Amino acid sequence: MTFEKSRPPWDTYFMDIACLVARRATCLRRSVGAVVVKDRRILSTGYNGAPSQVRHCAETGCLREQLAVPSGERHELCRGIHAEQNAIIQAAYHGVSIKGATLFCTHLPCSICAKMIINAGIVRIVYQDGYADALSRDMLAEAQVALAQLPQRPTEEGP
């Protein structure tokens, strides 16, 4: 008996992992996951939420919601750290170079994350959902960071 199964392409495989990482997010507004990959090897992961040793928004409430801050604006008014930032910080914390890597992220990074991505030497971003931050896209294009958007896949339900 032969067993046939379809293997996902690498971009889909790593995006699926980014979606799984996003399930750890503690942000009340949006769950984002990020995976940094080089040579088909995962170097680091990150999700959005409060820094270590700081209470999560589930305990304190969403500061951005309390202040009526629109999505894509005033990123500094938040207790949380973005998934992309966490992935970059985790790599640095553990002494792992991410120069020349690809970032798989459930959402297009904001302009603050874009600046970090550019300076970290990441050369490609694969994402699923857009984000309301035109400056991010402009800076990534100027720095020649390649962008690829993958369509969202339907959720597979178990039996």
Side-chain angles (χ1 to χ4, degrees), residues 24 27 30 35 47 49 60 76-77 100 104 133 145 147 151-152 158:
R24 291 278 308 155
C27 177
R30 177 183 328 233
V35 178
Y47 53 87
T60 64
E76 74 280 5
L77 294 176
F104 291 84
D133 191 339
V145 175
L147 294 177
Q152 279 209 318

Side-chain angles (χ1 to χ4, degrees), residues 118-139:
I118 292 164
N119 276 1
I122 291 172
V123 297
R124 181 171 178 250
I125 300 170
V126 180
Y127 67 98
Q128 279 187 330
D129 293 325
Y131 190 70
D133 191 339
L135 180 58
S136 169
R137 193 178 288 277
D138 292 346
M139 285 191 302

Side-chain angles (χ1 to χ4, degrees), residues 76-132:
E76 74 280 5
L77 294 176
C78 180
R79 293 178 61 82
I81 185 165
H82 290 187
E84 305 92 323
Q85 294 168 343
N86 265 329
I88 291 168
I89 291 166
Q90 284 302 307
Y93 185 85
H94 294 288
V96 176
S97 173
I98 57 176
K99 183 178 181 182
T102 295
L103 173 75
F104 291 84
C105 195
T106 55
H107 294 74
L108 181 67
C110 72
S111 56
I112 293 171
C113 290
K115 291 182 267 188
M116 291 180 70
I117 288 163
I118 292 164
N119 276 1
I122 291 172
V123 297
R124 181 171 178 250
I125 300 170
V126 180
Y127 67 98
Q128 279 187 330
D129 293 325
Y131 190 70

Side-chain angles (χ1 to χ4, degrees), residues 25-30 48-51 54-66 77-81:
T26 60
C27 177
L28 300 175
R29 291 179 125 190
R30 177 183 328 233
N48 59 327
V54 175
R55 290 179 296 150
H56 295 287
C57 298
E59 298 174 61
T60 64
C62 177
L63 178 62
R64 293 175 63 78
E65 198 169 277
Q66 293 163 8
L77 294 176
C78 180
R79 293 178 61 82
I81 185 165

